Structure formats: structure tokens, C-alpha cells
Amino acid sequence: MRIEAKMALAISSLLLMFFVSGGAQAQSIYFYDDSISLKGGESSEIAQVYYIGKACQSLLKGSPEVEIMQGPPGVTAVIREEKVVPREVACANPVPGGKLVISASGVDDYSRTRLVVRIKMQTSEGDRQRTRDINISLFPPQ
């Protein structure tokens, strides 16, 4: 009987550790699509940027930043700071973050290329970076 009680206590402890431990299981960026097309002078909102823990609380300590690592000339990327609702991870309340916006200017000819962006975030878990490849088709304005 004592062995069964000790075994039950050990299993209960392991299950409790499994569900309680592990710190924050952070979620961050949700991209709407991996391919976009823009005419010169247009912009497109392509992602929500946030960094949250298990209970949908924000772990951001500063505003997220974006950097273009590779891409065509005339294409810019900014993160428009605003509260976002990370519904794709079942959170219902807005959290600090922003929306990633890609803009094209000075497009003279059609081109199709890859845009590589790096998003940098200061979080309570330390600095984090995420890189994403986006296929982009550019068209001259009409």
C-alpha cells in the first residue's frame, strides 16, 4: 500500500511539473500570407507582430523593429505600433505590438523577387529575432 501511495504521489508530482513548469511559451508573429503583389506607391499590411506568454500577456519591453535583410530597391518595411489581438493563438484581448507594413515606390518595371525581413523585439525573456522570407511581385503604377 505504501508503494502505491508513493507511486501515485510521484506521478502526480510529474504531471504537476509538466503543466506548471516551462516558463512562458511565447508566441510572436502571425503572417497573413507569404506572397504579396504591389504596384508602385502601394502598401500592404502583411503581419501582426507581438510577443505573448501562456496567459496571453505581453512580454514585450519595447517597440518591435523591422530590418530588410534582402530585397528590391524602393521597397520599405515598417512596423506600425498599435495593439493587436492574437486570435490565431486563442487570445481575445488586445496586446501591445504592431502591424508589419510593406510599401513599394519607384517601381518602373515588373519584377518578382524575395524580400527577407528580420523583426527584432526586446522582451522580458531577452532580445528575440525572427526572420521571414516573403515573395513579392512589383508592378509599375498605371
Side-chain angles (χ1 to χ4, degrees):
M1 185 82 153
R2 284 186 158 222
I3 294 175
E4 289 174 0
K6 286 182 181 181
M7 184 68 118
L9 181 61
I11 290 172
S12 298
S13 297
L14 285 173
L15 287 174
L16 183 62
M17 285 176 24
F18 176 75
F19 288 112
V20 174
S21 70
Q25 298 290 325
Q27 300 288 325
S28 57
I29 303 162
Y30 174 71
F31 277 81
Y32 306 134
D33 202 350
D34 289 334
S35 297
I36 62 170
S37 59
L38 295 172
K39 289 183 181 179
E42 290 183 341
S43 296
S44 181
E45 184 180 287
I46 66 164
Q48 289 189 40
V49 180
Y50 51 87
Y51 199 80
I52 57 172
K54 283 183 180 179
C56 294
Q57 81 281 7
S58 177
L59 302 178
L60 285 176
K61 292 174 63 177
S63 299
E65 300 173 2
V66 64
E67 177 181 8
I68 294 180
M69 304 301 290
Q70 176 188 342
V75 173
T76 58
V78 296
I79 295 178
R80 189 175 60 226
E81 192 174 344
E82 63 184 75
K83 291 199 176 248
V84 295
V85 180
R87 295 188 197 285
E88 55 282 341
V89 290
C91 296
N93 296 322
V95 297
K99 297 197 175 172
L100 176 61
V101 179
I102 305 295
S103 301
S105 63
V107 178
D108 296 326
D109 297 313
Y110 168 78
S111 66
R112 181 164 173 80
T113 188
R114 178 179 21 199
L115 176 68
V116 181
V117 295
R118 176 169 59 185
I119 297 171
K120 300 187 277 187
M121 298 171 280
Q122 295 176 345
T123 75
S124 59
E125 298 178 331
D127 292 345
R128 298 289 185 255
Q129 295 182 8
R130 301 287 187 263
T131 301
R132 191 64 179 249
D133 291 6
I134 302 157
N135 296 315
I136 184 168
S137 298
L138 298 171
F139 297 88
Q142 294 181 352

